[in-house]
Amino acid sequence: MAQLFFRYGAMNSGKSFEIIKVAHNYEEQHKRVLVMTSAMDTRSGYGRVESRVGENRKALAIDEETDLFQVVKEANEEERVYCVLIDEAQFLLKYHIEACARIVDELNIPVMAFGLKNDFQNELFEGSKALLTLAEKIEEVKTICWFCGKKAIMNLRVNDGKPVYEGEQIQIGGNESYYPVCRKHYYHPPLQDLANETEES
C-alpha cells in the first residue's frame, strides 16, 4: 500500500542526495518517478535538485499555483508513476501537502517528501507541520553539529559571522548562511573560534 513519507533533517544532512539516490534506484528498474522541488529554492537554478556532493537533476518546480494532485494524476495517466519525490517540502503550503495525501489515497502512489522540520527560530514551517500531521511514516535524516560531534537538531542562521535569531522565516541560503547545530551550539555558537580557524588556514 502506498504511504506518505516525511524525511526531515537539519541543513546539510543529505536530504537532496537521498532523493537523487532513491530516484536512481527506481529508474534503474525502469520504474518512472516524478521528482519535484519548491520553486522558492533557486540556489541551483529553477526546478533543480542538487546535493552538496555535486549530484543534481532536473525537477518539476512547485509554486503556489501548482495543482499537485492534478499534475501527478495526468502524468500517471500518460505513463505509470511509481513514486513521487519532493525536495524542500518545508516550503510547500498546507494544501500542497493535502494534495500529497490525496495522491497516496486516491492514486495509490507513494509520496516521499524531504525537508527541514523547523526554521532558524525553531518554529515549524507550514509544509513541515502539515507533513507531521498527515504522513504515515516520519523519519529523521541525521547529521552532526557544525561545531561538535553531537546530533544536529537545529538550523543556525548567520550573517557576517554573527548568529541571527530574528527576521523573515524564509531566506534561501547554504553553508554561507546556515549551520546545522545541536541545541547547545544553537544558543551559544563558537563563531569566533570558527573565524579564527578560517584565518589560520
Side-chain angles (χ1 to χ4, degrees), residues 178-194:
Y178 294 96
Y179 295 137
V181 292
C182 65
R183 184 177 55 247
K184 173 183 175 181
H185 287 128
Y186 175 82
Y187 292 107
H188 305 287
L191 291 169
Q192 188 57 47
D193 295 346
L194 190 67

Side-chain angles (χ1 to χ4, degrees), residues 61-73:
I62 303 169
D63 60 28
E64 290 186 9
E65 306 301 319
T66 303
D67 186 337
L68 209 47
F69 179 83
Q70 195 62 30
V71 168
V72 175
K73 182 174 183 290

Side-chain angles (χ1 to χ4, degrees), residues 101-151:
R102 285 187 64 202
I103 291 165
V104 171
D105 297 340
E106 298 178 30
L107 303 180
N108 198 33
I109 299 172
V111 177
M112 300 177 69
F114 294 73
L116 303 174
K117 179 167 61 74
N118 41 302
D119 64 19
F120 78 107
Q121 292 178 308
N122 291 316
E123 300 291 339
L124 292 174
F125 286 95
E126 180 175 343
S128 305
K129 182 178 180 181
L131 280 161
L132 288 169
T133 302
L134 295 175
E136 285 97 349
K137 290 282 183 71
I138 299 170
E139 301 168 348
E140 183 179 15
V141 183
K142 298 181 178 68
T143 192
I144 60 172
C145 175
W146 196 269
F147 304 106
C148 70
K150 288 185 178 180
K151 185 172 79 170

